[in-house]
Amino acid sequence: AVVSTQSTGAALAAAQPVISAAPVPAPAQPEPMDVESQLTPIGLSEEVLQQLQQTHVKLTSLRKKRGKELPEGLPTPQQLKHFTQTSSHPGLHSASLPGILCLDLLPNAKRTVTGGADRNIVVFDKEEEKIVCTLKGHTKKVTSVVAHREENILISASPDQHVRIWDIANETCRHTLRIHDGPVTGLSLHPTGDYVLSSSADQHWGFSDINTGKLLCKVADQSVSHGLTCCQFHPDGLIFGTGTSDSLVKIWDFKEQKSAANFPGHSGPISAIAFSENGYYLATSADDEVVKLWDLRKLKNFKTISLEDKYTVRGLTFDNSGHYLAVAGPDVRLYQISKQCDLVTTWASHTQDATDVRFGPNASYIASVSNDRTLKFYSAN
């Protein structure tokens, strides 16, 4: 059963917390910051809170207009069954430190961005099949990459405790955010495109301005003494989820900066969480060989997908319609989201565990990366 700390059904379905502004900070200065100033949150101004509220209202309205109708051209399960591997790219990251650990797609979906055990970030052109640029700066493996949805910007995180904001066109690092005291374990871009959520083994989540590199707030969950393993914003941007190393999934009310609901039931550290773009569902995984699906409108687990023995889930993602869920682990799997959550298809072409997976626009293709150092694409021939 879900443990709720307050009445959250409405908050999770509509996410309308009361705006409670922190004191307005002094105007941001353009000069580079030293490390200590980055660790001190400057607070959430009334202006920022209003921006988040307006974005939420706009996105909620758009989501209601879309309704439950599936987008035109979305592949059927039968069509997805016939998707096969169409290309494989092994030369993006170093062979001496093998393993691609994370993946995202740039706005035009013709380019991918990958983070590797070799500490590098690689931007790859899918159509031209060539590396666009390699971004270097992290001192440990890159475990999270998030591409901006409109601009040529990407965000990365690493156990080196840094979050980096990159300008892809100029191949430069705009900001290095030293906001955590432990490995950074997750990133999620806010729907405004101006802020990034980060989670860390230091038990805190942080909320930072990607344009100024300023930390706006940093919050610890006082009820647990375990590190955070992942984080993800709900598509409307006023609630988000975190996973912990002690198997708990928490839903947070961002403006109140408080936990709104707990989703128990896993065992082992939470390995991945993903919200569906339609805002209805949350998918979660841990080191327990299951994927759990939660209905955010009813605050209940409506399906638990049991996997094979020793199947470790490393990545979860929904397509934009919320109709399909992809799972990365010993293979790459696709499920149709329904009461049964039927397995649609499986690709077992990686020689080691897949670490992350993404859908192309309208599920026109699927991309996956792996510890075997390859980026693979699957689509209809």
Side-chain angles (χ1 to χ4, degrees):
V2 173
V3 180
S4 177
T5 58
Q6 50 181 288
S7 179
T8 55
L12 294 172
Q16 296 275 12
V18 177
I19 293 177
S20 54
V24 178
Q29 299 300 315
E31 293 82 17
M33 296 176 290
D34 58 46
V35 168
E36 289 308 313
S37 68
Q38 285 196 352
L39 288 169
T40 305
I42 64 173
L44 291 167
S45 67
E46 183 71 33
E47 182 182 5
V48 170
L49 290 165
Q50 290 289 357
Q51 180 190 11
L52 303 187
Q53 182 70 27
Q54 289 165 6
T55 299
H56 159 75
V57 170
K58 177 182 175 182
L59 293 175
T60 302
S61 174
L62 288 173
R63 195 177 73 211
K64 287 179 179 177
K65 285 181 182 177
R66 286 197 303 268
K68 293 186 178 181
E69 289 186 16
L70 295 179
E72 187 177 350
L74 183 73
T76 64
Q78 196 60 36
Q79 289 171 322
L80 287 167
K81 285 179 190 288
H82 292 96
F83 274 30
T84 58
Q85 179 186 308
T86 49
S87 64
S88 180
H89 306 279
L92 308 187
H93 289 267
S94 169
S96 60
L97 288 167
I100 304 178
L101 307 177
C102 49
L103 166 72
D104 206 3
L105 306 181
L106 288 167
N108 62 13
K110 296 175 183 177
R111 291 180 173 182
T112 62
V113 53
T114 54
D118 61 359
R119 306 185 292 273
N120 294 339
I121 299 158
V122 173
V123 179
F124 179 78
D125 191 298
K126 174 179 179 287
E127 294 188 349
E128 297 185 14
E129 297 196 335
K130 68 177 187 180
I131 292 174
V132 177
C133 64
T134 299
L135 304 172
K136 300 183 178 185
H138 283 293
T139 57
K140 294 186 178 180
K141 62 187 178 181
V142 179
T143 51
S144 301
V145 287
V146 175
H148 199 282
R149 293 296 169 247
E150 296 174 0
E151 300 176 39
N152 218 13
I153 294 170
L154 65 89
I155 308 159
S156 62
S158 164
D160 67 9
Q161 304 184 11
H162 291 168
V163 175
R164 287 178 174 263
I165 316 294
W166 303 88
D167 183 323
I168 299 172
N170 296 321
E171 299 182 25
T172 56
C173 181
R174 286 187 178 181
H175 300 288
T176 300
L177 283 58
R178 169 66 169 85
I179 56 179
H180 289 289
D181 297 314
V184 184
T185 57
L187 293 174
S188 184
L189 186 67
H190 189 270
T192 55
D194 291 327
Y195 311 99
V196 65
L197 176 72
S198 56
S199 60
S200 172
D202 69 3
Q203 303 177 24
H204 290 74
W205 57 263
F207 184 73
S208 305
D209 187 321
I210 69 168
N211 300 304
T212 65
K214 294 278 191 180
L215 174 65
L216 302 186
C217 63
K218 183 177 175 182
V219 176
D221 185 351
Q222 303 297 333
S223 66
V224 298
S225 57
H226 298 272
L228 303 183
T229 56
C230 49
C231 64
Q232 187 73 47
F233 265 115
H234 183 275
D236 290 347
L238 284 190
I239 61 171
F240 65 91
T242 58
T244 66
S245 58
D246 69 332
S247 75
L248 194 60
V249 175
K250 280 184 172 280
I251 304 297
W252 293 78
D253 177 327
F254 176 73
K255 288 183 177 177
E256 296 295 326
Q257 298 181 23
K258 292 179 180 178
S259 173
N262 295 342
F263 288 164
H266 280 293
S267 60
I270 302 299
S271 57
I273 61 175
F275 287 100
S276 63
E277 190 63 31
N278 58 21
Y280 299 151
Y281 307 121
L282 173 69
T284 61
S285 64
D287 292 346
D288 55 5
E289 299 151 6
V290 299
V291 173
K292 288 185 175 290
L293 288 157
W294 309 84
D295 188 323
L296 297 171
R297 297 159 294 182
K298 300 177 181 178
L299 292 175
K300 63 182 288 187
N301 171 218
F302 71 91
K303 181 66 179 180
T304 297
I305 300 170
S306 296
L307 306 165
E308 290 92 315
D309 186 36
K310 297 182 180 178
Y311 192 108
T312 300
V313 178
R314 300 181 184 274
L316 295 170
T317 189
F318 286 93
D319 77 304
N320 278 344
S321 73
H323 196 57
Y324 298 112
L325 174 72
V327 178
D331 51 30
V332 177
R333 299 184 175 194
L334 217 58
Y335 291 89
Q336 181 180 4
I337 301 304
S338 61
K339 287 183 179 180
Q340 290 75 34
C341 289
D342 295 324
L343 177 65
V344 176
T345 191
T346 300
W347 298 285
S349 51
H350 285 295
T351 58
Q352 296 185 43
D353 279 11
T355 52
D356 212 351
V357 60
R358 289 291 184 275
F359 286 92
N362 215 20
S364 56
Y365 67 84
I366 288 92
S368 66
V369 292
S370 165
N371 282 328
D372 68 8
R373 206 167 58 92
T374 63
L375 164 66
K376 295 180 183 290
F377 294 100
Y378 315 87
S379 62
N381 286 322

